[in-house]
Amino acid sequence: MRKIGLIGGMSFESTAIYYRHLNEAVGRRLGGLHSAELLLHSLDFQTVVDKQKAGRWKEAGQQLAQAGQGLERAGAQCLLICAVTMHLVADAVAAAVDIPLIHVVDETAHALNAAGRAKPLLLTTRYTMENGFYQERMRRHGIDVVVPEAPGRGALHDIIFDELCAGKVLDASRTRLMALIDAAANEGADAVIFGCTEIGMILDAADLPLPAFDSAALHADAAVDFALREG
């Protein structure tokens, strides 16, 4: 089994979801008491958030790149950034190491294409919705991502940072997110992307009017495929 390196802590709630999914997926694949071989560098999220708010993305990229290099030195054979938003600096991390970085956008796109979905609603942070890196990479796969209007983007961003990252799951916020999904469905969206790991804490795919694609689960499954692949 290959060792998976995790750059986590963004938030620790997100990393806990990744950790559980990776171990459960290996257990399902191998049976018995098998679990994943993992190396984790869990960052102090506040130091990352401070850089995000100040627009110091180059410094954030350097911070994550250093974490990735440490994981590689410790024996990791692939890397996961356990946060969708921080894939904004994924190229800097990938350039700093000699092991594969498994990219969450690519894995989500593969699943959307396999399901024949081409116009998904993206639920994630304002940084991801407004920077453009996510939409650009999705377009390489023939997928046209849509995002909520400005008020919805602001509400979603606040729900993620002020509530979900702190482990708070509120019914009123769930209702707000459901309204965003209903509006997007009425405007032609054909799927929903859980574009922050924490979105899965508050929304259940079975309750939605559109098919849901949990990017963290897809990302983790791709890492397990890599870890267990022969050759």
Side-chain angles (χ1 to χ4, degrees), residues 147-224:
V147 299
E149 297 294 330
R153 295 198 300 272
L156 176 53
H157 185 89
D158 291 343
I159 289 168
I160 292 168
F161 276 96
D162 297 342
E163 299 171 18
L164 300 179
C165 287
K168 300 176 184 177
V169 179
L170 305 181
D171 288 340
S173 295
R174 182 182 294 108
T175 299
R176 183 74 175 92
L177 296 183
M178 291 294 290
L180 295 178
I181 295 168
D182 288 338
N186 290 335
E187 294 174 6
D190 61 5
V192 179
I193 298 172
F194 291 4
C196 269
T197 311
E198 295 90 352
I199 295 295
M201 295 167 60
I202 194 169
L203 293 180
D204 186 333
D207 297 332
L208 305 185
L210 295 172
F213 293 78
D214 186 334
S215 58
L218 295 165
H219 198 202
D221 285 340
V224 171

Side-chain angles (χ1 to χ4, degrees), residues 61-207:
Q62 293 169 343
Q63 183 179 9
L64 268 66
Q66 290 172 359
Q69 289 170 336
L71 290 166
E72 182 177 21
R73 288 193 297 270
Q77 292 164 281
C78 72
L79 286 180
L80 294 186
I81 299 173
C82 299
V84 177
T85 292
M86 292 314 295
H87 279 74
L88 195 153
V89 300
D91 289 346
V93 178
V97 297
D98 293 320
I99 56 177
L101 184 146
I102 300 173
H103 202 291
V104 69
V105 178
D106 294 337
E107 300 307 326
T108 305
H110 296 329
L112 286 161
N113 279 327
R117 305 288 167 168
K119 192 178 179 182
L121 170 68
L122 175 63
L123 298 180
T124 184
T125 67
R126 183 188 290 115
Y127 305 121
T128 304
M129 289 184 284
E130 296 181 357
N131 176 273
F133 80 94
Y134 196 105
Q135 293 89 331
E136 179 184 353
R137 196 165 184 114
M138 275 289 181
R139 280 194 291 270
R140 301 179 197 174
H141 297 275
I143 295 170
D144 182 21
V145 171
V146 297
V147 299
E149 297 294 330
R153 295 198 300 272
L156 176 53
H157 185 89
D158 291 343
I159 289 168
I160 292 168
F161 276 96
D162 297 342
E163 299 171 18
L164 300 179
C165 287
K168 300 176 184 177
V169 179
L170 305 181
D171 288 340
S173 295
R174 182 182 294 108
T175 299
R176 183 74 175 92
L177 296 183
M178 291 294 290
L180 295 178
I181 295 168
D182 288 338
N186 290 335
E187 294 174 6
D190 61 5
V192 179
I193 298 172
F194 291 4
C196 269
T197 311
E198 295 90 352
I199 295 295
M201 295 167 60
I202 194 169
L203 293 180
D204 186 333
D207 297 332

